[in-house]
Amino acid sequence: MLDFFKKIFDKKPPIKERPPYYSIVCPHCFSKFEPEEVVFRASHVKEHDDDFMLQEDRKLADWRRKFNLSQVDMEAIIDPLTIPEENKTYIQNVLVAITDRYGEETRRRLCPNCHNELPISAGKVPSNIISIVGASQVGKSVYMTSLIHTLQNTTASNFNAACMPLSAEISRKFRQNYHEPIFERGSMLQSTNPNEQQEPFIFQFVFKDEREAPLTLVFFDVAGEGMVERDYLDIYAAHVKNSSGILFLVDPLQIRSIRDKARIHIGEGEGEFANRYDEPREVVISLFENFIAHQHNSKTDIPTAIVLTKSDMLTHLMEEDSEYIKPNSNVFRNVVHKGFLNRTEFENINGEISRFIEKVDRPFKDAVDVYFKNTAYFAVSALGANPVKSQLAGVINPIRVDEPFIWLLYQLDYVARRDAT
């Protein structure tokens, strides 16, 4: 009898049956489509053939125009519907290459809606995209830079993976415009100009175990005001809607009760100080208007990490007898998760920040509870210290910046959650 029950409790859950292919979410325009809907870019040019000469790609040009990017003539677009079945190549039931009427093969698969090139893995594995959202001044660009730095130098190794930019161009722009200013020159980034938008920064967290699907991290470097202005929301509403996970950034200075304490230490006038920050609840309302309202029961089940940024500044705002956060709080202690999500550390920070937000901004906490089904709360410091006059003093020591990302890995069944041993 004991053997019988042992077999029951030791029985492993059945392995999920792998579907023949997966729907694709374009990491550039975030439209969702099936693998058979892709188009291809020709691998050659024929000046004597109108179909295969260099030409304007209107869909790609329209997409690039949104980000003030230049456009040049491109090779032709080939619709697979015009190609005989024997000239198509499939891998894992996904069309990956075609041979055109000149006998030339191309593997350059494009999104049918924006004509940007798709990742090699698209359609073969789930399109799991994590998006970063937040209002103006929350430090999205700085957090993104610190997160990618940490993923590349620490987290990837701890989870037997690599964090890779999607292209050499993205790698160059990230290094020159973000990583070098902060981590090599010790200077802060300039606020994003809403009139100088850039294309999304796309990185993949690729596991060395080939059976694991890559996880795509997408960051829109648009002005934070975009989260509360409809013109901007139209650009990336699909980005958030089709995400598999959300990093929702909240600056302590967005919260009025914290702002009042901060003015004493920072010394800015009330009007000037308050006008720089949008209330966190306004971002929730914008998200609700643009996609959550259209979901089942007007809620989203996308796992959402509520991330309190600039946690290092709380050391200056909270006193020993503070009713909010003590100087010995978990917030100020860095934690490294290696191979799994440390359940004890996660539950400690989640509970502490959840209670903190509830005390200092109950309307925001209530709005999150109403519209989001699956949330957890975190506190991070992208730099480890508050910059002085836009300059960073000493070595940059990010605190807990990858913890929300690792929680999303857990939510998406990439890693396990257990107590540290």
Side-chain angles (χ1 to χ4, degrees), residues 276-288:
R276 289 168 49 194
Y277 298 92
D278 298 310
E279 297 288 337
R281 191 167 65 113
E282 294 171 2
V283 179
V284 175
I285 293 170
S286 295
L287 291 172
F288 175 76

Side-chain angles (χ1 to χ4, degrees), residues 240-396:
V240 180
K241 176 182 177 181
N242 288 324
S243 292
S244 298
I246 298 172
L247 295 168
F248 189 130
L249 306 191
V250 178
D251 187 334
L253 297 178
Q254 288 181 273
I255 301 169
R256 181 174 295 277
S257 59
I258 304 302
R259 274 205 308 268
D260 292 341
K261 291 178 179 289
R263 282 205 315 275
I264 298 174
H265 294 270
I266 300 176
E268 293 190 52
E270 180 174 2
E272 178 184 358
F273 197 85
N275 288 339
R276 289 168 49 194
Y277 298 92
D278 298 310
E279 297 288 337
R281 191 167 65 113
E282 294 171 2
V283 179
V284 175
I285 293 170
S286 295
L287 291 172
F288 175 76
E289 290 177 338
N290 284 271
F291 92 95
I292 297 177
H294 308 293
Q295 308 301 301
H296 180 64
N297 291 333
S298 295
K299 288 189 174 185
T300 178
D301 57 3
I302 300 174
T304 302
I306 310 297
V307 183
L308 189 70
T309 64
K310 306 176 185 177
S311 62
D312 56 272
M313 74 182 309
L314 297 179
T315 58
H316 305 294
L317 305 180
M318 302 301 167
E319 306 297 336
E320 182 67 40
D321 60 349
S322 169
E323 63 178 304
Y324 300 132
I325 290 182
K326 307 292 185 184
N328 63 348
S329 164
N330 293 308
V331 168
F332 310 123
R333 181 172 57 86
N334 193 34
V335 169
V336 177
H337 298 263
K338 189 170 184 179
F340 59 90
L341 177 68
N342 185 318
R343 180 172 62 184
T344 303
E345 293 290 352
F346 160 68
E347 290 177 351
N348 285 343
I349 198 71
N350 177 42
E352 185 173 4
I353 299 304
S354 176
R355 292 188 295 271
F356 173 74
I357 295 292
E358 191 169 55
K359 288 179 180 179
V360 299
D361 195 345
R362 186 61 181 264
F364 170 63
K365 178 67 164 54
D366 288 343
V368 169
D369 291 344
V370 167
Y371 295 137
F372 295 83
K373 291 182 181 179
N374 185 5
T375 59
Y377 290 80
F378 302 88
V380 305
S381 173
L383 305 173
N386 201 34
V388 178
K389 295 182 179 179
S390 298
Q391 292 297 312
L392 304 171
V395 178
I396 298 173

Side-chain angles (χ1 to χ4, degrees), residues 49-299:
D49 187 330
D50 289 345
D51 291 336
F52 280 83
M53 64 174 51
L54 288 175
Q55 55 198 270
E56 180 189 20
D57 185 335
R58 291 186 179 180
K59 286 190 175 182
L60 181 60
D62 288 344
W63 181 87
R64 292 179 65 85
R65 194 173 298 115
K66 293 179 181 179
F67 302 98
N68 293 332
L69 298 171
S70 60
Q71 175 63 20
V72 297
D73 287 347
M74 305 286 292
E75 294 87 355
I77 296 296
I78 304 175
D79 189 331
L81 294 177
T82 66
I83 302 298
E85 198 63 28
E86 61 268 22
N87 287 351
K88 298 178 181 178
T89 302
Y90 292 83
I91 295 179
Q92 298 175 211
N93 299 304
V94 174
L95 178 63
V96 297
I98 59 172
T99 301
D100 63 32
R101 63 175 181 252
Y102 289 97
E104 299 282 354
E105 184 184 65
T106 175
R107 293 178 175 269
R108 298 171 65 186
R109 290 187 300 159
L110 311 180
C111 168
N113 299 295
C114 70
H115 286 185
N116 275 290
E117 196 159 345
L118 296 169
I120 294 174
S121 59
K124 303 173 191 174
V125 297
S127 292
N128 286 330
I129 291 176
I130 291 179
S131 59
I132 302 175
V133 302
S136 179
Q137 300 292 333
V138 301
K140 294 190 297 296
S141 300
V142 175
Y143 175 69
M144 182 271 294
T145 306
S146 184
L147 175 61
I148 295 299
H149 172 85
T150 303
L151 294 182
Q152 291 181 333
N153 290 279
T154 305
T155 315
S157 176
N158 288 339
F159 287 87
N160 200 29
C163 183
M164 306 291 293
L166 193 62
S167 69
E169 181 66 9
I170 288 174
S171 178
R172 183 188 63 79
K173 287 184 177 180
F174 173 75
R175 175 172 48 81
Q176 293 181 352
N177 300 338
Y178 293 87
H179 192 271
E180 287 180 357
I182 291 179
F183 284 92
E184 295 184 23
R185 297 197 293 272
S187 59
M188 289 300 295
L189 304 174
Q190 297 295 317
S191 296
T192 306
N193 185 339
N195 297 317
E196 296 180 359
Q197 299 170 49
Q198 292 183 343
E199 59 192 313
F201 281 87
I202 306 170
F203 290 80
Q204 285 196 316
F205 199 75
V206 184
F207 293 88
K208 295 178 183 178
D209 184 347
E210 295 178 356
R211 294 170 296 180
E212 292 282 6
L215 185 66
T216 304
L217 181 66
V218 180
F219 174 70
F220 259 119
D221 187 22
V222 297
E225 291 85 348
M227 289 307 299
V228 290
E229 293 181 11
R230 185 168 298 277
D231 289 343
Y232 286 103
L233 277 164
D234 288 342
I235 296 176
Y236 58 72
H239 163 47
V240 180
K241 176 182 177 181
N242 288 324
S243 292
S244 298
I246 298 172
L247 295 168
F248 189 130
L249 306 191
V250 178
D251 187 334
L253 297 178
Q254 288 181 273
I255 301 169
R256 181 174 295 277
S257 59
I258 304 302
R259 274 205 308 268
D260 292 341
K261 291 178 179 289
R263 282 205 315 275
I264 298 174
H265 294 270
I266 300 176
E268 293 190 52
E270 180 174 2
E272 178 184 358
F273 197 85
N275 288 339
R276 289 168 49 194
Y277 298 92
D278 298 310
E279 297 288 337
R281 191 167 65 113
E282 294 171 2
V283 179
V284 175
I285 293 170
S286 295
L287 291 172
F288 175 76
E289 290 177 338
N290 284 271
F291 92 95
I292 297 177
H294 308 293
Q295 308 301 301
H296 180 64
N297 291 333
S298 295
K299 288 189 174 185

